[in-house]
Amino acid sequence: MIDDGLGPVYNAQSCTECHQNPVTGAISQVSELRAGHKDGYGNFVDAPGGSLINDRAVNASIQERVPDAEKIRALRMSLNVLGDGFIEAVNSSTLIAIAAAQPLQSGGLIAGQAIYVPVLESYGAMSVGRFGWKDQHASLLSFAADAYLNEMGITNRFFPTENSSLGRSVVAFDAVPNDPEDVGNDIDDFADFMRATKAPPRDSALAYTYDAVTGSLLFNQIGCNICHVTTMTTAPAGTTTDAGFFVPAALGDKIIHPFSDFLLHDIGTGDGIVQNGGQSTANELRTAALWGLRTHDRLMHDGLTYTFKEAILRHGGEASGVRAQFQLLPPMQQNQIITFLKSL
């Protein structure tokens, strides 16, 4: 509701608009739009007011749209947040070790980047980013606070100032001018919800078929698992991560299968947008977590790919060698890998 603080510029009226298929917390067909341009030195610069171009507004006079001068435009699909509590409970050292091992596994062709980003609730602490397409957040509370402001226009204790409309003030359209609007700290409840969700289950009818099992072996054999890491172990229960997250028994010492390294890579599909990682990350994106993949009908970061095979063939850059290995497989084995993906 507008009277509760929605907007003035925003993308959705609730978390479930972007995280609902097939259950609350999962993915959807909803994307966000970002834009910017390069300066005279080739560095990315945000559009006025920030790279996020909000799709909706409480009044038509403050509706945002991409200015002609912002030649870099990018779509970002909503991400699955189911099981994210386990990802928050993974030590940064685990992700750094994965990054260090990748060049050795790939002959130097694959080298994921771990970036340190601020943990908003830890007042100056930094931790390895793992949430968002650019790894722009290291904790679920930071992620929740960002989503409340940037997706719903609800100010909170970490983001107490309303977004502008392409740099223009929206004060005249703010129905709740006393910021922060999230006086009940709903962002904490949202973070706790994400921490309490189970990881997306596999398709039990398909996962243990001959083709899916064989496809899993081929997936590893050709190197997909170098980035889409099959197995991780969370930090011990009762410990505190470098992001300041106390790992409860429900999340600690757990073996998980996210099929991601949660690192940034350049696979030739980069959107040119820079967030917390600096200019070197402009064309890098976080490896998509493949658990829950069978619920996605729009693939890759921009949602512009529609079949699993097309998604594989779209991989370039660091993933060029792995893609080439897939292309060398006979059609039957390619289809077995796709059957495996359909089971996730």
Side-chain angles (χ1 to χ4, degrees), residues 43-316:
N43 295 317
F44 175 80
V45 179
D46 286 342
S51 67
L52 181 65
I53 308 297
N54 286 115
D55 285 317
R56 300 160 91 174
V58 299
N59 188 289
S61 62
I62 54 171
Q63 176 62 52
E64 295 187 292
R65 58 188 58 82
V66 177
D68 287 338
E70 310 305 324
K71 301 301 184 184
I72 299 174
R73 295 94 182 254
L75 292 175
R76 297 264 189 85
M77 295 303 296
S78 304
L79 285 166
N80 183 357
V81 302
L82 297 178
D84 271 0
F86 296 106
I87 306 310
E88 188 174 34
V90 171
N91 274 324
S92 291
S93 58
T94 298
L95 302 181
I96 292 170
I98 291 170
Q102 286 178 342
L104 302 176
Q105 295 171 278
S106 65
L109 296 175
I110 297 174
Q113 183 176 358
I115 61 170
Y116 278 87
V117 297
V119 182
L120 301 180
E121 66 269 32
S122 292
Y123 308 103
M126 304 283 282
S127 183
V128 172
R130 61 200 65 189
F131 301 114
W133 279 111
K134 290 286 185 174
D135 276 344
Q136 61 264 36
H137 292 296
S139 80
L140 287 173
L141 185 55
S142 297
F143 174 82
D146 181 294
Y148 263 62
L149 176 67
N150 291 307
E151 307 303 335
M152 295 182 288
I154 298 175
T155 55
N156 54 77
R157 68 184 187 274
F158 298 120
F159 295 100
T161 304
E162 296 283 6
N163 284 331
S164 67
S165 174
L166 291 170
R168 299 170 297 162
S169 173
V170 296
V171 169
F173 305 92
D174 190 357
V176 185
N178 298 319
D179 296 315
E181 295 155 343
D182 179 27
V183 293
N185 288 326
D186 288 352
I187 57 173
D188 298 88
D189 294 334
F190 180 36
D192 285 344
F193 163 75
M194 290 187 283
R195 290 166 180 155
T197 59
K198 295 180 179 180
R202 292 187 65 182
D203 182 346
S204 58
L206 188 60
Y208 304 106
T209 62
Y210 174 81
D211 281 345
V213 172
T214 303
S216 174
L217 296 174
L218 290 166
F219 181 89
N220 296 341
Q221 179 180 308
I222 67 174
C224 299
N225 65 333
I226 296 175
C227 297
H228 293 286
V229 175
T230 303
T231 302
M232 291 184 187
T233 303
T234 63
T239 62
T240 300
T241 69
D242 65 326
F245 177 57
F246 178 80
V247 181
L251 298 175
D253 299 298
K254 304 301 182 188
I255 298 172
I256 59 172
H257 307 288
F259 297 95
S260 175
D261 57 9
F262 301 98
L263 302 172
L264 296 178
H265 292 272
D266 181 355
I267 64 164
T269 61
D271 57 13
I273 304 292
V274 174
Q275 288 181 256
N276 278 359
Q279 293 296 328
S280 67
T281 66
N283 288 313
E284 296 182 336
L285 293 160
R286 189 191 81 164
T287 302
L290 300 185
W291 57 9
L293 182 63
R294 62 196 172 101
T295 67
H296 304 191
D297 68 332
R298 305 184 190 195
L299 306 173
M300 309 296 282
H301 75 278
D302 52 15
L304 297 179
T305 306
Y306 307 108
T307 74
F308 292 136
K309 185 172 183 178
E310 289 171 355
I312 295 169
L313 296 179
R314 194 174 165 191
H315 284 59

